[in-house]
Amino acid sequence: MSDPRPLALVTGGVRRLGAAIAQRLAEAGYTVAVSSHESDPELPAGLTHWDTEATAFQADLSRPNAPAKLMTDIVAHFGRPPVLLVNNAAMFGQDDATSMTAESFDAHIALNFRAPVLLAQAMAALGSPAVVVHITDQRVRNPVVDQLSYTLAKQALDASVRSMARALAPVVRVNAVAPGLTLATADYDEGTIAASAAAMPLHRLPAAKDIADAVLYLARAESVTGQTIFVDCGAHLESFRRDFMNF
């Protein structure tokens, strides 16, 4: 008997925010496919807590043909198309207006913008009702001077939401979640994290579960398309010159 549970694909879903999103979807009753650029990727440990099928796929989505191949591989493996695509995979380089190179710019565009758009196109080509949720960034509203290649690529993805929602309607809905600082990396010490939280209008930082819940809402919101939800404790309401790690 075929699996009655809806199938979701979360790119970059083996760690950090992607893993939290994948786990929340599994908790909500989805069968989950996750992708990673790493060889032989392992499933997030939390996925084993839920009674659902989950599979990890290797895909270097920065390569032009990789998005379409990943979609083909997932349909072949599960025997059905995904009904939800969460474009979470991204790279986050450190450059600015003086240090940005053609190589760094192209690399960010390839993974952070082109791959999500091509994955959405590949899913739409399957012809089944589906939902795309892009993970963007709160800085698309008020950009900083740091991480310029990253920011430009995320701004391009944010700008594509309305266009893709119109182009892929009525079969596919396209929305986005724009997180604020959520899972701090090793670049942040405790003082910097505390200062970042204090600078938010809500005086705290969002949790990974908050972003995952927003993704699940958009997956289920059948009358919502072309929208971006900021889940950032109000960061997009402020204007910061530099990234939070430089507080």
Side-chain angles (χ1 to χ4, degrees):
M1 185 174 66
S2 62
D3 190 340
R5 291 168 295 192
L7 172 61
L9 165 60
V10 182
T11 67
V14 303
R15 61 181 61 186
R16 294 179 56 78
L17 183 56
I21 294 170
Q23 291 165 29
R24 183 69 182 92
L25 294 175
E27 179 186 4
Y30 282 81
T31 295
V32 180
V34 297
S35 75
S36 171
H37 69 280
E38 299 174 353
S39 299
D40 301 319
E42 296 183 359
L43 288 170
L47 280 183
T48 62
H49 296 165
W50 308 104
D51 183 22
T52 188
E53 182 183 359
T55 306
F57 294 81
Q58 192 280 330
D60 180 358
L61 294 173
S62 66
R63 297 181 178 275
N65 296 327
K69 182 179 185 304
L70 175 61
M71 194 63 63
T72 298
D73 290 346
I74 287 172
V75 172
H77 178 86
F78 290 99
R80 64 190 191 280
V83 300
L84 172 62
L85 164 64
V86 183
N87 279 310
N88 169 75
M91 66 178 297
F92 191 91
Q94 302 293 327
D95 62 8
D96 57 23
T98 59
S99 62
M100 184 177 71
T101 64
E103 290 75 18
S104 68
F105 177 70
D106 286 348
H108 282 82
I109 289 293
L111 182 58
N112 296 3
F113 175 51
R114 185 180 68 194
V117 170
L118 292 182
L119 275 167
Q121 179 192 40
M123 190 164 74
L126 299 173
S128 301
V131 185
V132 176
V133 180
H134 298 313
I135 305 301
T136 59
D137 194 296
Q138 61 83 21
R139 72 178 60 194
V140 301
R141 180 66 58 84
N142 285 314
V144 296
V145 300
D146 309 282
Q147 297 98 28
L148 184 58
S149 291
Y150 168 85
T151 301
L152 289 170
K154 286 294 187 179
Q155 286 177 316
L157 184 60
D158 176 68
S160 78
V161 170
R162 286 169 54 85
S163 294
M164 293 297 287
R166 189 66 189 88
L168 302 185
V171 178
V172 176
R173 294 189 293 111
V174 181
N175 294 291
V177 174
L181 175 60
T182 305
L183 298 174
T185 66
D187 300 306
Y188 294 80
D189 58 30
E190 292 184 5
T192 304
I193 294 172
S196 299
M200 300 303 108
L202 295 185
H203 292 181
R204 58 183 174 84
L205 300 175
K209 182 181 181 300
D210 299 330
I211 284 80
D213 283 345
V215 170
L216 184 59
Y217 162 74
L218 289 172
R220 293 171 168 174
E222 296 183 354
S223 296
V224 178
T225 194
Q227 301 295 316
T228 295
I229 297 178
F230 287 82
V231 186
D232 61 355
C233 292
H236 72 285
L237 302 174
E238 303 289 345
S239 181
F240 304 101
R241 176 167 175 76
R242 302 194 67 191
D243 184 75
F244 300 134
M245 73 174 64
N246 295 307
F247 272 19

